[in-house]
Amino acid sequence: MERRVGTVSRGIRCPIIKKGDNIYKIVADSVLEASKIEGFELRDRDVVAVTESVVARAQGNYASVKDIAADITAKFGKNTVGVIFPILSRNRFAICLKGIAMGAEKIVLMLSYPSDEVGNELVSIDALDNAGVNPYSDVLTLDRYRTLFGESKHPFTGMDYVAYYEQLIKDSGADVEIIFSNNAKSILTYTKNVINCDIHTRERTKRILRDNGAEKVYGMDDILKTSVNGSGYNEKYGLLGSNKATEDTVKLFPRDCYDIVEDIQKKILEAVGKHVEVMVYGDGAFKDPVGKIWELADPCVSPAYTGGLEGTPNEVKLKYLADNDFKDLKGEELKNAISKRIKEKKENLVGDMASQGTTPRRLTDLIGSLCDLTSGSGDKGTPVVLVQGYFDNFTN
């Protein structure tokens, strides 16, 4: 009988994972048990994905705000520090800002506008136009910002992040000054000691700062690269990808994940004889057209994955073939012609017009985004996602 279902994404429920748990065994066993209870079979090239959050939790990769503060003081001394281009997030950045402020005498906080790096708006672009403000060149003080735009609350969280960050810094024992600019060089008028908090443009920002007279420049990826007082750490990403755990601790992005994905792959192969692919995933990469957030606050979608997930899709566009190459065919004849074209497609379709309109992104970014949407970030209790049929096509 002909199959009528293509890709299926299933959230897999797991036990609550704590520090020291055997993450690879829990993930593999949860998938295998779900298969038996729910009555589906595992297949070769299924994808088992586990969220970075539970991997880091099992690793015990945590740090306190005191650890962050100690690292900041060690790097800058108890001085004025510029903190530039942070995202607007209670979960992602506020707890880090608390630790940074505890380690400094004064914070000059420079916010990008009209939105942060991942799309959270401070003000609308229309409001800038109406005020005659050029975000590419104008530097605004806090007083000027308030005069022009007043109180600005996030549409989903109801937070005035400017006021929230200002008070948080004060409560952490540091003086604070807030400015608004999209030019990294603007901070150098106030201090030569800078922490750049942008995620995906961080190396460019560091270069601009150093080339224009900054004396000490560290990114979020340079803080907690090594353990401080026995804390967790991440040698590649530092504080990037961290999340608030408690009011005084952060959970860092997981480290040393490749053994985990390979162990899960091996355990499932031994159990049912199927060669699945495995990945650890964080934030997906997709944009909300209403809130305008494009989500990816992690330094990458997937910090570790098995070899079969390397690369990009190699697909032809069915509607292109139906409207062009086989526009005069119908019914079974059209189906057979398209099936033949798919079976005979080249291994690399770059530049082939029949592939236009297919999504030009890496497999790990596409599948990781699907998994992030499937598992959610709340109380679903499905930190593992099983994706089946992703590598199927019209002929399977």
Side-chain angles (χ1 to χ4, degrees):
M1 184 179 293
E2 185 177 16
R3 282 173 55 188
R4 292 291 180 177
V5 176
T7 301
V8 175
S9 178
R10 289 184 173 91
I12 304 296
R13 290 186 174 168
C14 298
I16 302 299
I17 294 169
K18 304 288 285 185
K19 178 181 177 180
D21 286 348
N22 187 329
I23 187 68
Y24 94 85
K25 184 176 187 302
I26 290 174
V27 172
D29 287 348
S30 296
V31 172
L32 293 168
E33 185 175 359
S35 172
K36 293 177 183 177
I37 293 174
E38 301 295 337
F40 61 85
E41 293 183 358
L42 295 176
R43 308 171 191 153
D44 290 327
R45 299 215 77 190
D46 284 354
V47 180
V48 175
V50 54
T51 179
E52 57 82 21
S53 177
V54 296
V55 176
R57 194 183 305 152
Q59 291 176 340
N61 203 18
Y62 292 84
S64 71
V65 290
K66 290 182 179 179
D67 298 326
I68 296 172
D71 204 8
I72 296 301
T73 302
K75 286 177 166 61
F76 294 101
K78 198 76 171 176
N79 291 306
T80 298
V81 178
V83 176
I84 71 172
F85 302 153
I87 63 172
L88 308 175
S89 173
R90 293 168 295 174
N91 173 47
R92 287 288 192 170
F93 185 72
I95 188 73
C96 298
L97 180 59
K98 181 178 180 179
I100 292 168
M102 287 169 60
E105 181 178 66
K106 178 181 178 179
I107 297 295
V108 180
L109 182 65
M110 191 173 90
L111 301 173
S112 53
Y113 74 100
S115 65
D116 69 9
E117 181 182 2
V118 298
N120 293 295
E121 278 194 347
L122 285 173
V123 295
S124 70
I125 192 71
D126 292 320
L128 295 186
D129 291 342
N130 292 334
V133 173
N134 183 345
Y136 300 104
S137 61
D138 293 352
V139 180
L140 306 179
T141 63
L142 179 58
D143 286 343
R144 181 64 174 157
Y145 170 85
R146 289 300 192 195
T147 298
L148 291 172
F149 307 115
E151 183 184 67
S152 180
K153 292 187 176 182
H154 192 282
F156 291 157
T157 67
M159 294 293 298
D160 180 337
Y161 280 98
V162 178
Y164 176 52
Y165 280 179
E166 180 182 31
Q167 191 61 50
L168 188 153
I169 292 169
K170 290 178 180 178
D171 291 344
S172 301
D175 293 331
V176 58
E177 185 171 358
I178 298 178
I179 60 173
F180 302 81
S181 177
N182 294 307
N183 186 341
K185 292 183 287 186
S186 301
I187 195 65
L188 300 177
T189 303
Y190 298 83
T191 178
K192 305 297 184 184
N193 301 320
V194 186
I195 301 171
N196 65 293
C197 305
D198 46 336
I199 305 161
H200 306 291
T201 54
R202 60 188 182 274
E203 294 305 325
R204 177 176 183 267
T205 300
K206 290 178 188 177
R207 173 176 56 77
I208 290 171
L209 290 167
R210 288 168 179 149
D211 288 350
N212 286 276
E215 294 174 2
K216 292 182 179 179
V217 178
Y218 295 96
M220 291 279 282
D221 55 326
D222 298 311
I223 303 169
L224 292 188
K225 287 189 76 131
T226 58
S227 179
V228 174
N229 301 321
S231 73
Y233 64 95
N234 191 300
E235 61 281 324
K236 186 173 183 181
Y237 297 120
L239 278 178
L240 288 182
S242 62
N243 286 272
K244 179 179 179 179
T246 71
E247 294 303 319
D248 295 302
T249 58
V250 295
K251 178 193 61 59
L252 302 171
F253 214 48
R255 60 180 192 268
D256 304 326
C257 297
Y258 278 98
D259 285 347
I260 293 170
V261 296
E262 290 175 353
D263 286 344
I264 294 170
Q265 184 183 60
K266 180 180 178 182
K267 184 170 176 57
I268 291 177
L269 180 63
E270 291 173 347
V272 292
K274 301 299 180 182
H275 184 91
V276 301
E277 303 296 343
V278 184
M279 66 184 291
V280 176
Y281 69 96
D283 273 351
F286 42 82
K287 186 165 183 175
D288 168 14
V290 176
K292 300 180 178 62
I293 303 167
W294 68 278
E295 184 68 12
L296 185 54
D298 285 327
C300 61
V301 173
S302 178
Y305 49 88
T306 50
L309 296 176
E310 189 65 57
T312 59
N314 191 56
E315 301 172 345
V316 293
K317 195 79 168 179
L318 293 191
K319 65 182 182 182
Y320 178 87
L321 296 177
D323 290 342
N324 291 272
D325 296 31
F326 308 119
K327 62 183 178 181
D328 296 324
L329 302 181
K330 293 182 180 180
E332 195 68 19
E333 191 177 9
L334 175 59
K335 176 184 174 182
N336 291 337
I338 288 180
S339 297
K340 184 174 184 292
R341 175 69 172 81
I342 292 171
K343 290 176 180 178
E344 294 175 350
K345 67 183 178 183
K346 298 178 293 186
E347 291 186 7
N348 187 344
L349 291 169
V350 173
D352 190 322
M353 289 299 287
S355 69
Q356 66 178 329
T358 57
T359 308
R361 287 165 60 185
R362 296 187 304 174
L363 289 168
T364 50
D365 294 339
L366 290 164
I367 299 171
S369 297
L370 170 62
C371 292
D372 190 25
L373 288 167
T374 301
S375 62
S377 57
D379 56 9
K380 288 184 173 59
T382 56
V384 174
V385 175
L386 175 67
V387 180
Q388 296 189 293
Y390 190 84
F391 295 102
D392 289 355
N393 60 44
F394 185 65
T395 68
N396 295 118

